[in-house]
Amino acid sequence: MGARGGLRALSIGVRAELVAGLERGFRQQFSTQEQTAQICVVGSGPAGFYTAQHLLKHHPRAHVDIYEKQLVPFGLVRFGVAPDHPEVKNVINTFTQTAHSDRCAFHGNVVVGRDVTVQELRDAYHAVVLSYGAEDHRGLEIPGEELPGVLSARAFVGWYNGLPENRKLAPDLSCDTAVVLGQGNVALDVARILLTPPEYLEKTDITAAALGALRQSQVKTVWIVGRRGPLQVAFTIKELREMIQLPGTRPILDPADFLGLQDRIKEVPRPRKRLMELLLRAAMEKPGVAEAARRASASRAWGLRFFRSPQQVLPSPDGRRAAGIRLAVTRLEGVGEAARAVPTGDVEDLPCGLVLSSIGYKSCPIDPSVPFDPKLGVIPNVEGRVVDVPGLYCSGWVKRGPTGVITTTMTDSFVTGQILLQDLKAGLLPSGPRPGYAAIKVLLGSRGVWPVSFSDWEKLDAEEVSRGQGAGKPREKLLDPQEMLWLLGR
């Protein structure tokens, strides 16, 4: 996930070794004579499903209930992965297999912390795993960020991906220039979606509303701004290559930003070195005849701006919307990944009508009974065990922060699952039977909450696929929870 779900990061060999290690640690640990272990997982994104998968595979009597606040499952795989990256969403097939297990149940439309407390879950289950991800964005904390025309990249991604809470976002794309603050994969995602010719998106699962708005978009230039230099960019080579090859666009890269980089990349790890070499070629080499002709005919452009930190969003003359951004010019102190950007005292004003902030996601506290570190944005834990709360665990971004990709989350979730099962085997979790969902169902019913099952989701899924067929799309996502409930006869 960059702050998103790509199937990259760990090499296949390393991944296989990690997973094999977990497998060896668990073979034949539990027998079918063991009592049923009632476990619940909060969150149905990759962390939640991978945790459930590991528990079901390695404990023959484990029953896992997955609670989700949305009516639909899969978290950032559905709502975060770009519509033009359908191959990344194939992991949904694996999650669906897990959900079809007769020892697994999905309960959507249940907001833990509001509809049911974490303590009530702890009373009903032998163990509770919090895997609810990073549901908010980091603010810029600069003057003018409240102006119309300033949006979080998270909300913009949610808008084009059909996240119900963002369905009415209606970004104003009538300006010529957009600025994306941040240089990670999400920043490149939103830049790419803004600049991709709409005909390349019409066969994806992008929402109809977003596709309609992008058809009318006047945005011709997108600047992707970072406070540090080329060596510190957080995007990966796949995303950069897509930007360089994006139809109808040309890159704007200042060769001065890359002077001396060739010597400095000799010692960096290979993936970073390959990324830097691609950046250098794009910035320094004269394009061939065909590429030069392609760029000359391009009607849109994107550029990377380095050593710039947002200082203030500049208002239009009437003060009613964003008209530009003031950037502090920075320089680096330190080297490599640890280098810090410090202001030089110079500033630069960049005119634009749309500012998208992509400086990171953050997790939120879920319940007063659960410890939370607001500075790091994580639940304090040791290898997934929540500090000072026996029987409570965490996995994914709420465990380690919003970094890494789907594969990182898989390994991390398997580790949490392993730790939980070790504690169960060692007798560190409550003994005796627990009621599990039977108790929670009564509570939810008394509170007027209508949980959505996985078979309910499959009805909604079939409806989405059916609606998409007419337009040649894989699906047309349902956006309105009320309509979803109506379709399910609620």
Side-chain angles (χ1 to χ4, degrees), residues 314-327:
L314 303 172
S316 56
D318 62 7
R320 296 175 68 171
R321 57 172 296 105
I325 186 152
R326 178 160 294 159
L327 301 168

Side-chain angles (χ1 to χ4, degrees), residues 220-241:
K220 295 287 184 284
T221 305
V222 178
W223 290 107
I224 304 157
V225 178
R227 65 183 68 209
R228 299 193 292 171
L231 264 176
Q232 289 80 32
V233 295
F235 51 74
T236 48
I237 196 165
K238 176 180 185 285
E239 273 69 18
L240 176 62
R241 192 175 287 118

Side-chain angles (χ1 to χ4, degrees), residues 159 167 206-214 473 476 479:
W159 168 71
R167 70 186 188 278
I206 193 170
T207 66
L211 187 60
L214 289 165
K473 299 174 69 173
E476 188 61 63
L479 309 181

Side-chain angles (χ1 to χ4, degrees), residues 13-249:
V14 172
R15 195 164 83 219
E17 203 173 305
L18 277 163
V19 175
L22 293 169
E23 304 278 338
R24 284 194 298 274
F26 268 102
R27 209 162 285 141
Q28 298 172 335
Q29 260 207 12
F30 292 92
S31 71
T32 50
Q33 278 71 51
E34 301 269 351
Q35 74 164 43
T36 298
Q38 293 282 359
I39 303 166
C40 88
V41 172
V42 178
S44 68
F49 265 107
Y50 279 129
T51 303
Q53 178 187 322
H54 193 81
L55 294 169
L56 294 166
K57 181 174 183 178
H58 295 287
H59 192 311
R61 296 291 302 277
H63 182 96
V64 180
D65 288 317
I66 301 175
Y67 291 91
E68 169 58 57
K69 73 171 188 175
Q70 302 289 343
L71 275 80
V72 298
F74 311 132
L76 275 187
V77 179
R78 177 179 169 97
F79 296 124
V81 175
D84 56 349
H85 286 171
E87 72 288 349
V88 179
K89 302 183 191 191
N90 291 338
V91 71
I92 283 174
N93 300 329
T94 305
F95 298 161
T96 298
Q97 285 180 347
T98 298
H100 282 160
S101 164
D102 56 8
R103 294 185 290 121
C104 184
F106 171 81
H107 309 290
N109 199 32
V110 177
V111 182
V112 173
R114 185 192 73 188
D115 300 335
V116 60
T117 67
V118 171
Q119 186 58 55
E120 286 166 338
L121 292 175
R122 292 179 64 210
D123 291 343
Y125 291 89
H126 291 99
V128 174
V129 187
L130 301 173
S131 307
Y132 61 86
E135 301 178 310
D136 203 357
H137 68 280
R138 296 193 183 281
L140 292 169
E141 295 172 2
I142 59 172
E145 74 173 303
E146 74 293 338
L147 285 167
V150 182
L151 302 170
S152 74
R154 184 191 184 282
F156 189 75
V157 170
W159 168 71
Y160 65 63
N161 270 336
L163 185 62
E165 69 195 59
N166 298 132
R167 70 186 188 278
K168 295 178 181 173
L169 191 69
D172 184 350
L173 306 181
S174 63
C175 59
D176 175 79
T177 303
V179 168
V180 183
L181 300 170
Q183 292 184 331
N185 280 341
V186 175
L188 263 58
D189 272 355
V190 298
R192 192 179 69 254
I193 295 297
L194 278 170
L195 294 174
T196 297
E199 60 269 25
Y200 287 82
L201 294 172
E202 58 192 17
K203 300 303 182 190
T204 72
D205 67 0
I206 193 170
T207 66
L211 187 60
L214 289 165
R215 286 192 200 282
Q216 303 298 315
S217 171
Q218 301 298 305
V219 176
K220 295 287 184 284
T221 305
V222 178
W223 290 107
I224 304 157
V225 178
R227 65 183 68 209
R228 299 193 292 171
L231 264 176
Q232 289 80 32
V233 295
F235 51 74
T236 48
I237 196 165
K238 176 180 185 285
E239 273 69 18
L240 176 62
R241 192 175 287 118
E242 285 177 326
M243 287 302 295
I244 292 169
Q245 297 170 351
L246 192 60
T249 71

Side-chain angles (χ1 to χ4, degrees), residues 228 231-232 264 331-342:
R228 299 193 292 171
L231 264 176
Q232 289 80 32
R264 280 183 285 154
R331 60 179 174 79
L332 290 187
E333 283 185 356
V335 291
E337 300 281 333
R340 284 177 56 249
V342 295

Side-chain angles (χ1 to χ4, degrees), residues 446-464:
S446 71
R447 293 165 187 171
V449 179
W450 293 88
V452 169
S453 68
F454 201 79
S455 62
D456 288 334
W457 150 244
E458 291 184 315
K459 291 173 193 163
L460 298 175
D461 180 40
E463 176 67 20
E464 289 188 345

